[in-house]
Amino acid sequence: MSWLQYLHPPMLTRRTLRVWQRNRNVFVKTFRVNFLPPLLEPLLYLLSLGYGLGVFVTQINGVSYPRFIAPALLAISIMNAGFFETTYASYVRMYFQKTFDAIIATPLSIEEVITGEILWGATRSVINASIMLPVLIAFGVVDLPISFVIIPFAFLAGFLFASIGMCFTALTPNIDTLNLPTFLFITPMFLFSGTFFPLSILPMPIQVIATAVLPLTHVVKITRMITLSQVTPAILVSLAWIIIVAAVLFVLAVNLMKRRLIV
Amino acid sequence: MGDVIVAEDLEKRFGDFVAVNRVTFSVREGEVFGFLGPNGAGKTTTMRMIQCVSPKTSGRLEVFGMDVNTHPADIKCLIGVVPQETNLDPDFSVHENLMVYSRYFDIPPRTALETIGSLLDFVQLSERRDTSIEKLSGGMKRRLILARALINNPRLLILDEPTVGLDPQARHLIWDRLRALRSRGNTIVLTTHYMEEAAQLCDRIVIMDQGRILELGRPQDLVQKHAGVDIVEADNKPEVLACLGRMGAKYDVAGERVQVFTEKAREVTAALLQECSPIEVVARPAGLEDVFLKLTGRRLKE
């Protein structure tokens, strides 16, 4: 036995969607609260960074600063929605509410529960992107109609971040230690993934590391190519990176959770 | 009648710790089968293996003739579970809890609505339909969990400490509902450490301690076998012990009391009062608690 045992493909049935439906029902119940953050976030960032800092920055690679950061704001929101859904929110359901225990007493398996949670995390990313996009459109900082492609792409990127989040949830000893991946992984990514300044101004080794291991780098690359209508074949490299890493981490997350919960 | 659960040399280890130590039992269709035992006896672990949520280490375990390892989803379709911990969904109301739960069993919404209506009547929660979970009392929560466990009309109902922490009224209401289920032909397996609960409800019981089954049988038979018909208790004083010695009576010392297991309570009581007065003497029918303490010992289980 080795790390390979954590790459067992999960056995899933259609019942997986029942978990997704459960989370959707809760979301709909509390819609007014959930609606605000993705609506306010781009407004605040666009105003402070785009139009505040933007007075000094004016242009990056021939693009106005608000137009430069707009796709990054989408990518960050996609990341946060997926990651925080399967870390803090899933942990609360798993540990405090015992929701997973209640569900696995029914015909659903733990693999289906975890997969349903990750699918829901990806859905949250889609919801966030869909709420943010009209705001960015209203400011005229994203190209149309190509930018609507971001919405289906948000599901893939959200699936990646939700899988990453679920891996941390499977490993964290308690809810406080979930702060570690947040500060050591999410926050650096938020700042150093070509979000608010181009990666190319960083030293080469850091550029290499960011491209190799920081998922947000690839997500920002893609969203920026889309919103600026500058799609090049490089988009395929980033897409492939996201698909492969998402697939591996999804399977890993399910198996790590099985190890944690099946005793 | 067929066997609903068959366990043979069933074992569960957590590392070096043996939680369930090669137990063998079978549960018949339509009976109420109880697991009694002190904390840590292995009751809950056994329940979790039957529910297909905790994999067995070795041995055989079949539910409705299906192996728990190979048919977990099929088995879980046929059973209802009342867990020890209250794990209702706090994000939903009473009715929503049942509705969401019914979806996990792929019950069509229209059927679920009807079933939920009659289940809420059954557990007397119809008026709380739209109440949020946190506003329910402990007894109401347990009743709702019972209703939730019945949502799929299970052939086997598993209850882990169904009445723990409830007041007598709430407990009797649950017992009453379980009797109603039994008379409908449901098979019920429950764990408890309330002797009264076991004596009131169970057709057959096992007494477990430290992962092993110590006894299996009908409650009244076990009482007869291990404790006799009656028990006479008196103060644990040297004079009393001497008296009992002279009478040739068999007795157990239990803390500040001595207990005589006997079929002639009247004679023993009279003899004690005559020969060793003045002392306090109590004669009472033997019960399951006497059997339990005799088999599992009097020291604290911690």
Side-chain angles (χ1 to χ4, degrees):
Chain A
M1 293 296 248
S2 65
W3 58 274
L4 267 176
Q5 67 178 302
Y6 293 114
L7 292 178
H8 263 292
M11 300 263 289
L12 303 172
T13 70
R14 261 190 26 242
R15 292 203 179 95
T16 306
L17 291 179
R18 303 299 183 196
V19 180
W20 184 91
Q21 283 178 319
R22 180 228 165 257
N23 290 340
R24 181 207 57 194
N25 285 15
V26 179
F27 181 82
V28 169
K29 262 190 100 159
T30 50
F31 188 68
R32 260 164 283 176
V33 190
N34 298 322
F35 194 78
L36 274 179
L39 198 68
L40 282 178
E41 216 180 67
L43 277 175
L44 295 175
Y45 278 111
L46 261 188
L47 291 176
S48 77
L49 293 178
Y51 297 102
L53 192 62
V55 171
F56 301 96
V57 181
T58 63
Q59 280 202 340
I60 291 178
N61 302 337
V63 175
S64 78
Y65 197 57
R67 276 173 57 79
F68 181 82
I69 64 166
L73 296 180
L74 278 165
I76 290 164
S77 184
I78 289 168
M79 168 177 82
N80 286 343
F83 182 82
F84 287 103
E85 186 62 32
T86 56
T87 47
Y88 293 96
S90 287
Y91 192 87
V92 166
R93 289 192 281 271
M94 169 181 78
Y95 186 80
F96 294 101
Q97 302 189 359
K98 312 280 178 203
T99 308
F100 296 2
D101 289 345
I103 300 176
I104 59 169
T106 74
L108 277 89
S109 68
I110 195 67
E111 297 174 323
E112 290 166 335
V113 173
I114 300 307
T115 306
E117 290 277 307
I118 291 174
L119 288 177
W120 174 248
T123 307
R124 284 298 304 265
S125 297
V126 172
I127 294 169
N128 269 26
S130 311
I131 297 172
M132 264 182 100
L133 199 55
V135 180
L136 298 176
I137 290 170
F139 276 88
V141 290
V142 293
D143 288 352
L144 288 176
I146 187 175
S147 290
F148 286 108
V149 175
I150 302 263
I151 291 174
F153 170 69
F155 190 84
L156 173 65
F159 189 87
L160 169 65
F161 289 113
S163 299
I164 295 172
M166 194 56 88
C167 287
F168 285 118
T169 302
L171 296 170
T172 194
N174 56 58
I175 197 163
D176 295 321
T177 47
L178 276 178
N179 291 337
L180 289 176
T182 307
F183 290 123
L184 298 179
F185 182 63
I186 295 296
T187 307
M189 246 193 323
F190 166 74
L191 295 169
F192 294 99
S193 299
T195 40
F196 300 109
F197 55 85
L199 259 189
S200 56
I201 64 165
L202 291 171
M204 201 54 191
I206 295 182
Q207 281 189 48
V208 172
I209 292 171
T211 313
V213 302
L214 295 185
L216 189 60
T217 311
H218 294 281
V219 177
V220 172
K221 269 186 189 166
I222 292 175
T223 55
R224 187 166 286 142
M225 282 189 226
I226 293 170
T227 64
L228 297 177
S229 313
Q230 291 172 355
V231 178
T232 68
I235 199 171
L236 296 177
V237 177
S238 289
L239 262 181
W241 192 98
I242 291 172
I243 290 170
I244 292 167
V245 174
V248 172
L249 291 182
F250 160 64
V251 175
L252 187 66
V254 172
N255 284 290
L256 286 173
M257 266 304 194
K258 271 169 77 180
R259 186 186 69 169
R260 176 175 189 134
L261 293 176
I262 300 185
V263 288
Chain B
M1 291 275 198
D3 284 336
V4 170
I5 303 172
V6 177
E8 230 177 68
D9 286 333
L10 179 64
E11 186 184 50
K12 178 73 189 188
R13 290 170 182 269
F14 297 106
D16 289 336
F17 176 69
V18 184
V20 175
N21 194 348
R22 295 169 64 91
V23 299
T24 297
F25 62 88
S26 56
V27 176
R28 297 171 196 147
E29 187 157 6
E31 76 175 337
V32 181
F33 193 91
F35 283 82
L36 271 73
N39 294 329
K43 309 183 299 283
T44 297
T45 307
T46 307
M47 293 305 112
R48 286 171 52 82
M49 286 191 281
I50 297 169
Q51 294 161 34
C52 311
V53 295
S54 180
K56 64 186 190 216
T57 306
S58 68
R60 185 162 81 106
L61 179 58
E62 285 176 5
V63 183
F64 296 110
M66 293 180 279
D67 188 302
V68 289
N69 282 7
T70 54
H71 293 80
D74 296 325
I75 292 172
K76 289 196 284 183
C77 277
L78 298 172
I79 65 179
V81 176
V82 173
Q84 197 168 338
E85 270 181 316
T86 297
N87 57 12
L88 292 162
D89 207 322
D91 293 319
F92 294 119
S93 69
V94 167
H95 186 265
E96 287 166 338
N97 254 277
L98 298 178
M99 207 60 204
V100 170
Y101 216 71
S102 75
R103 279 204 309 238
Y104 300 137
F105 290 93
D106 285 327
I107 299 168
R110 196 169 295 178
T111 318
L113 274 175
E114 274 174 36
T115 312
I116 291 168
S118 60
L119 282 176
L120 287 180
D121 282 344
F122 182 70
V123 298
Q124 301 180 19
L125 282 174
S126 296
E127 274 144 44
R128 301 282 171 166
R129 197 178 174 280
D130 298 315
T131 306
S132 77
I133 296 305
E134 59 205 49
K135 296 208 177 86
L136 297 179
S137 71
M140 289 175 183
K141 284 182 185 160
R142 294 306 286 176
R143 268 142 59 199
L144 180 55
I145 290 182
L146 177 60
R148 192 184 68 176
L150 296 171
I151 194 96
N152 57 328
N153 196 14
R155 285 171 62 195
L156 167 64
L157 187 63
I158 297 173
L159 306 105
D160 196 0
E161 308 277 359
T163 62
V164 76
L166 298 187
D167 62 30
Q169 285 83 357
R171 180 179 305 167
H172 277 273
L173 180 56
I174 296 257
W175 288 354
D176 181 60
R177 300 295 80 188
L178 292 179
R179 283 194 202 98
L181 289 168
R182 182 183 180 276
S183 64
R184 291 184 200 172
N186 283 70
T187 310
I188 299 175
V189 172
L190 60 89
T191 76
T192 183
H193 37 222
Y194 297 127
M195 296 307 125
E196 199 195 344
E197 187 159 284
Q200 288 255 355
L201 293 174
C202 296
D203 299 306
R204 290 195 304 152
I205 57 168
V206 293
I207 297 180
M208 280 186 90
D209 193 19
Q210 298 180 338
R212 290 173 184 280
I213 288 183
L214 303 178
E215 264 295 2
L216 189 159
R218 302 195 311 152
Q220 58 271 44
D221 293 346
L222 295 184
V223 172
Q224 188 94 47
K225 177 175 169 191
H226 291 281
V229 179
D230 290 310
I231 290 180
V232 179
E233 287 188 350
D235 297 323
N236 179 9
K237 285 183 189 163
E239 308 92 275
V240 174
L241 296 183
C243 266
L244 288 169
R246 280 200 301 278
M247 293 192 299
K250 276 205 275 183
Y251 61 85
D252 276 357
V253 175
E256 299 297 305
R257 312 281 277 173
V258 280
Q259 296 184 325
V260 184
F261 301 105
T262 176
E263 283 167 25
K264 299 174 190 160
R266 196 174 286 239
E267 286 90 330
V268 174
T269 310
L272 274 171
L273 285 171
Q274 244 164 31
E275 297 191 26
C276 325
S277 56
I279 52 161
E280 196 191 309
V281 178
V282 179
R284 61 178 174 82
L288 213 43
E289 187 141 347
D290 302 304
V291 180
F292 185 85
L293 289 172
K294 198 168 175 183
L295 290 175
T296 62
R298 285 188 175 270
R299 72 193 159 72
L300 278 179
K301 307 281 180 177
E302 271 160 359

